[in-house]
Amino acid sequence: MPNLKIQEAKLLFNKIRSNPKSYDLKTSTEGITGKDDKISFKLYKSGEKSTFEVTIDGLTFSNSTGEWNNAIIMLENIIHKIEKETENNKVQLALDKLKKYLSEEN
C-alpha cells in the first residue's frame, strides 16, 4: 500500500471535516468510513497508532500516525451531530404532520 503524505492527508481530512454531509460518514467497530463520488476513506485505530486510508481509482494510500486519534474523535462527534440533526428533523416533520392532522375538520 503506497504511503499518503501527511500534508495531503491533513488537507483531505480538513476537506471532509468542512463538508461532512457529502461523504456518507459511517462509524462501526472497525473505525470510520466515508465516500463521495471520487474517493473513499477509512480512519481506524491499529494498536497505539491510527491509520487513515484513502482509495481513489482502485488504489489505496495510507498514513499511520498518532495524529489520527484526535481526528477519529472529531469525526465521531460530527457523525453524532449529523445523526441528532436528522433525528430532530424527523421529529419536527412528524409534529408538523400531527398539527396539520389536528387542524383538519372531520
Side-chain angles (χ1 to χ4, degrees), residues 51-83:
T51 302
F52 187 27
E53 291 181 357
V54 178
T55 303
I56 186 165
D57 292 340
L59 293 171
T60 301
F61 301 87
S62 72
N63 182 282
S64 295
T65 177
E67 288 191 39
W68 300 117
N69 291 333
N70 288 336
I72 289 173
I73 293 168
M74 282 184 209
L75 284 185
E76 286 173 342
N77 290 338
I78 288 171
I79 290 169
H80 292 306
K81 183 179 175 185
I82 291 171
E83 288 172 348

Side-chain angles (χ1 to χ4, degrees), residues 4-106:
L4 178 64
K5 293 180 181 177
I6 190 66
Q7 299 89 342
E8 293 166 338
K10 285 182 178 180
L11 285 172
L12 177 58
F13 178 77
N14 288 334
K15 187 172 183 168
I16 292 166
R17 200 175 73 177
S18 68
N19 195 7
K21 291 182 181 180
S22 66
Y23 287 94
D24 189 29
L25 296 175
K26 292 184 175 46
T27 185
S28 70
T29 56
E30 297 176 8
I32 297 172
T33 60
K35 64 181 179 179
D36 67 5
D37 57 340
K38 295 178 183 168
I39 65 137
S40 64
F41 71 89
K42 182 176 180 180
L43 192 55
Y44 61 94
K45 291 182 183 178
S46 51
E48 291 189 19
K49 291 186 178 184
S50 295
T51 302
F52 187 27
E53 291 181 357
V54 178
T55 303
I56 186 165
D57 292 340
L59 293 171
T60 301
F61 301 87
S62 72
N63 182 282
S64 295
T65 177
E67 288 191 39
W68 300 117
N69 291 333
N70 288 336
I72 289 173
I73 293 168
M74 282 184 209
L75 284 185
E76 286 173 342
N77 290 338
I78 288 171
I79 290 169
H80 292 306
K81 183 179 175 185
I82 291 171
E83 288 172 348
K84 188 173 180 175
E85 286 175 1
T86 302
E87 185 62 29
N88 287 343
N89 286 341
K90 287 180 185 178
V91 169
Q92 189 58 50
L93 286 172
L95 284 172
D96 291 346
K97 286 181 181 179
L98 178 60
K99 288 177 186 176
K100 183 178 177 185
Y101 175 79
L102 293 172
S103 68
E104 292 175 354
E105 292 185 29
N106 291 336

